Amino acid sequence: MDMVHDLDDLRGQVRAWRTAGEHIGCVPTMGNLHEGHLTLVRQALTLASRVVTTVFVNPLQFGPTEDLAAYPSTPEQDQARLTAAGCDLLFAPSVATMYPDGQQVQTRVEVPGVSDILCGASRPGHFIGVATVVCKLFNMVQPDLALFGEKDFQQLLIIRRMAADLAMPVDVIGVPTVRDPDGLAMSSRNAYLTSEERTQAPALYHALSAAAQGLAAGLPVPRVETEAAAALAMAELRPVYVSVRRAADLGEPTAADRELVVLAAAYLGRARLIDNLRVSRPRG
Ligand code: PAF
């Protein structure tokens, strides 16, 4: 696998592939790659003839009190894992390459509405940072398709919406969440958990599973949300939100909506964990 840091080198490689009629897939990441990311790469390899993985810890999507400085970085390990997975090219730009004139003057991309709720409500500006960097990465790599994990379900919908609204010729594909055997969704931020917290962390998945079962059994949304939040608190997680939403657009569900998603964010120690489960509600 080749690795490039500069935009000209990336563009040169992409141009050569395009000339040869290749179909290009892209997996944007912030590095510290785990099985969830590698699943995206492997899936991309089944859908495209060339796969570019990007590794960039995007300062624009972190709030001033968030974990930008502590975000885990494992460049050699990432390179080895991507090579083993069969990735064709790693694009690892610097902050200066991504934001040559500084972040303050960077043109931003905002997907209104869906960016302001759930994680967006507690992380103001986060999804502007995500949409902006993904828009730039799409313009840099010019992929035919791009893959994102469903663990970040709100992020996936925002990116899909951005690509549709801005007529970007990129197919945005969601890939199911990869979990540890005890149910915990894989995340780079799991590295922040102490060994004791790691044993508590699957409570998030268990609370969401119970909520999904409750919805499938026809329990009312407010009851399901309240019980899931109580279960998290019992397990000593600090819920930021537990919310049942319409899966298509994260709107508040009406009684007629069947395809739902239950989403939660919670702190455990210094780790902010997120997860979600899709559920089909029976006809009332
Ligand atoms: O999910 C992530 O790792 C990041 O938010 C992304 C999509 C790579 C943008 O920085």
Side-chain angles (χ1 to χ4, degrees):
M1 180 190 68
D2 288 329
M3 170 162 69
V4 294
H5 301 285
D6 295 333
L7 191 48
D8 284 348
D9 294 336
L10 172 72
R11 290 214 156 117
Q13 178 61 86
V14 168
R15 202 176 305 118
W17 283 339
R18 286 264 169 240
T19 307
E22 307 264 21
H23 198 59
I24 300 172
C26 181
V27 179
T29 80
M30 297 207 297
N32 188 236
L33 304 180
H34 50 64
E35 199 46 39
H37 298 112
L38 300 174
T39 300
L40 299 178
V41 173
R42 287 190 213 103
Q43 177 87 29
L45 284 161
T46 68
L47 301 169
S49 56
R50 296 288 180 180
V51 172
V52 181
T53 299
T54 70
V55 171
F56 178 63
V57 181
N58 174 33
L60 204 61
Q61 70 188 72
F62 287 79
T65 61
E66 293 186 347
D67 58 340
L68 173 61
Y71 199 82
S73 168
T74 49
E76 287 86 19
Q77 182 181 289
D78 291 351
Q79 223 178 314
R81 289 186 174 174
L82 288 172
T83 303
C87 178
D88 294 285
L89 182 67
L90 166 56
F91 176 50
S94 65
V95 174
T97 295
M98 291 305 288
Y99 303 119
D101 298 317
Q103 292 172 59
Q104 293 310 319
V105 295
Q106 168 67 45
T107 300
R108 281 148 207 256
V109 178
E110 179 173 7
V111 180
V114 69
S115 296
D116 304 326
I117 57 173
L118 305 170
C119 282
S122 51
R123 303 186 71 189
H126 168 65
F127 287 119
I128 291 178
V130 170
T132 301
V133 80
V134 173
C135 174
K136 290 194 77 155
L137 291 168
F138 282 1
N139 285 333
M140 291 170 166
V141 177
Q142 303 198 333
D144 298 290
L145 51 98
L147 292 86
F148 298 86
E150 288 179 354
K151 180 180 78 72
D152 298 287
F153 192 75
Q154 186 176 8
Q155 168 174 282
L156 171 63
L157 291 200
I158 287 167
I159 293 168
R160 205 170 259 156
R161 182 72 194 270
M162 171 188 76
D165 286 355
L166 299 181
M168 295 173 162
V170 183
D171 193 5
V172 175
I173 297 168
V175 176
T177 303
V178 178
R179 300 179 181 282
D180 280 336
D182 61 8
L184 180 65
M186 288 194 184
S187 164
S188 300
R189 290 191 166 99
N190 293 350
Y192 300 150
L193 299 170
T194 64
S195 51
E196 193 193 338
E197 287 162 358
R198 177 62 191 78
T199 64
Q200 295 166 270
L204 180 55
Y205 173 68
H206 296 312
L208 290 174
S209 301
Q213 278 166 25
L215 289 168
L219 293 185
V221 166
R223 177 170 159 193
V224 162
E225 290 173 336
T226 306
E227 288 181 0
L232 291 177
M234 279 285 288
E236 296 178 10
L237 278 76
R238 306 188 301 284
V240 181
Y241 64 80
V242 179
S243 193
V244 176
R245 296 292 173 128
R246 209 161 40 225
D249 58 5
L250 296 183
E252 303 270 2
T254 67
D257 289 316
R258 301 275 158 254
E259 295 308 315
L260 306 178
V261 56
V262 51
L263 311 101
Y267 280 97
L268 180 56
R270 68 190 185 97
R272 186 182 189 281
L273 306 176
I274 60 171
D275 201 352
N276 67 84
L277 287 177
R278 301 279 297 271
V279 53
S280 295
R281 193 160 54 170
R283 274 180 201 289

